[in-house]
Structures are given as C-alpha cells and as structure tokens.
C-alpha cells in the first residue's frame, strides 16, 4: 500500500483525508510517524504555513509527506480570519469561541458570503508541490449540527441549505476545500506512481 505522512495531529483532518483518499493510501499522522514535537506555523499566508510544516517534517523523517493549512475567508471582513482562522478569538480559543466571535463580527451584516480555502504542500522527490482547494458558501446566523469540526456548524456550502456540521461526512468530503486540494494531490501522485 502507498504511504504518506500527513503533517498534523488534528484527528478531524486525518479522518477526512483518509475518507477522501480511500483505501489505496495509508495516511500516517505525525504521532504515528513517531514525531512528538509541535510544528511551527509562523507564516502570514496559507502557502507559507503549509510549506513550513512540510519542511519541518521532511527534516525529521526524510519520507514523502504533506502538510495542509486552511482558513475561512469572509467577504465583508476583507478575507478575515484567513490564515488566523484557528486563532480568531485568541491564541488558545476553542471552536465555540471562534464561532461566537464570527457571529458577533457579522451581526450587522446581510452579506454572509465566505469561502474555505485549503493549501497542501507535498514533499515529493526532493521538491515541494502545492495544491489548492476552495469551497464557496455563506455563514449561517446560528450554530447548527454536531458533525465535523471548527466552523462546520456555521458554514453552509453553496448549493446546500444546511451547514457542513449537518451534512453527512461523505458529502462534506466530496465537496470541501480539503477534498479539492487532496484530490488534486492524489491526481498528481497517480501520474507519478506506477500501478502496482
Ligand atoms: P490550521 O489549518 O490547522 O491552521 O487551522 C485551520 C482552522 O480553520 C481550523 O482550526 C478550523 O477552525 C478551520 N477549518 C479548516 N478547515 C475546516 C473545515 O473543514 N471545517 C471547519 N473549520 C475548518
């Protein structure tokens, strides 16, 4: 089976990527690859953060690996929280606190349009390769649903009338920003790895 290390210990992201890639791939988390250190995330763009995490892991294991950085961009907030999505309500903010802050920032706004963006940095044959995925949608007026993570109870993808947290994971994982970036990476790898 083909193996890749995914430079994260975020159990939600790992689960989603395993579902997106299916059984052809063995995806290892950082912990499963024997890496216990936290990865740096000091960039000012998703690309910089994805690159920084991928390089940190390659430095430690010298194996094919990829990192992903993602964020939510809200139009009336000029693209915020963007690269700071995980820390929107403060350095160690919970998902609920982040969601509440977003609702507060948008309380006077009718325009709720937003998008999730994911950038994947893949280390392959001594080079970094980038893949990007975007899903457009809107921010709901209240939290709804319990599936998923982060802003899933607020983000309603285009073409649906329920947030990610209410949609079956199989739906989210066929249309999400992460699905689109990871599928682009899988297509790239398919061209380069001979069929077994
Ligand atoms: P990072 O990529 O780990 O730096 O953090 C991205 C942050 O964006 C996460 O902590 C979540 O809050 C949010 N996020 C990214 N992808 C999703 C998603 O698929 N659903 C909900 N929130 C997400």
């Amino acid at each position: 089976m083909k193996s890749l290390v995914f430079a994260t210990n975020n159990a939600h992201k790992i689960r989603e990527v395993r579902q997106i890639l299916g059984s052809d791939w063995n995806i290892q988390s950082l912990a499963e690859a024997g890496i216990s250190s936290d990865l740096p995330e000091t960039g000012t763009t998703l690309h910089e953060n994805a690159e920084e995490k991928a390089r940190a892991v390659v430095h430690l294991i010298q194996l094919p690996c990829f990192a992903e950085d993602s964020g939510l961009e809200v139009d009336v907030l000029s693209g915020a929280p963007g690269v700071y999505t995980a820390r929107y309500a403060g350095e160690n903010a919970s998902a609920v606190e982040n969601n509440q802050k977003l609702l507060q920032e948008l309380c006077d706004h009718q325009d709720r349009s937003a998008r999730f963006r994911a950038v994947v940095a893949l280390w392959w044959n001594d080079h970094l390769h980038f893949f990007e995925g975007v899903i457009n949608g809107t921010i709901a007026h209240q939290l709804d649903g319990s599936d998923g993570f982060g802003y899933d109870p607020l983000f309603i993808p285009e073409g649906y009338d329920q947030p990610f947290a209410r949609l079956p994971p199989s739906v989210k994982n066929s249309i999400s920003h992460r699905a689109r970036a990871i599928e682009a990476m899988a297509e790239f790898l398919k061209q380069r790895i001979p069929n077994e």
Side-chain angles (χ1 to χ4, degrees):
M1 196 192 280
K2 300 169 281 190
S3 287
L4 276 176
V5 174
F6 182 11
T8 186
N9 279 324
N10 181 324
H12 298 284
K13 289 189 179 184
I14 296 269
R15 192 177 313 123
E16 288 188 3
V17 166
R18 285 185 177 142
Q19 180 162 23
I20 293 160
L21 286 174
S23 55
D24 285 355
W25 286 92
N26 170 33
I27 300 301
Q28 284 187 296
S29 67
L30 277 185
E32 288 163 347
I35 298 172
S36 55
S37 49
D38 275 343
L39 298 184
E41 235 186 273
T42 63
T44 55
T45 64
L46 300 179
H47 275 83
E48 283 175 10
N49 278 345
E51 172 164 358
E52 189 175 26
K53 290 187 274 189
R55 285 195 188 279
V57 170
V58 170
H59 184 70
L60 294 170
I61 58 169
Q62 285 96 37
L63 284 175
C65 71
F66 66 97
E68 182 254 26
D69 208 56
S70 43
L72 180 65
E73 302 167 355
V74 180
D75 287 345
V76 291
L77 302 178
S78 309
V83 72
Y84 305 107
T85 298
R87 305 164 255 167
Y88 193 36
E91 201 51 47
N92 295 310
S94 67
V96 172
E97 289 166 335
N98 283 333
N99 281 318
Q100 296 297 357
K101 161 129 175 127
L102 182 58
L103 284 178
Q104 190 147 11
E105 294 290 329
L106 291 182
C107 67
D108 292 330
H109 294 286
Q110 289 307 311
D111 177 5
R112 319 280 293 190
S113 51
R115 71 203 48 77
F116 268 122
R117 188 184 304 278
V119 173
V120 167
L122 168 72
W123 184 258
W124 184 257
N125 276 350
D126 294 336
H127 292 286
L128 270 179
H129 303 269
F130 290 94
F131 307 91
E132 192 164 319
V134 172
I135 171 93
N136 290 317
T138 53
I139 304 299
H141 288 268
Q142 58 197 23
L143 299 165
D144 184 20
S146 54
D147 262 327
F149 70 106
Y151 298 77
D152 280 348
L154 285 182
F155 185 82
I156 303 173
E158 201 169 62
Y160 294 80
D161 55 11
Q162 291 183 313
F164 271 152
R166 274 220 169 269
L167 294 170
S170 58
V171 172
K172 179 183 178 189
N173 292 329
S174 63
I175 61 171
S176 77
H177 49 311
R178 189 162 297 104
R180 289 172 177 166
I182 293 292
E183 277 161 10
M185 178 184 79
E187 189 54 39
F188 169 93
L189 289 169
K190 203 167 130 193
Q191 311 293 328
R192 282 155 183 83
I193 303 176
N195 283 334
E196 285 146 27

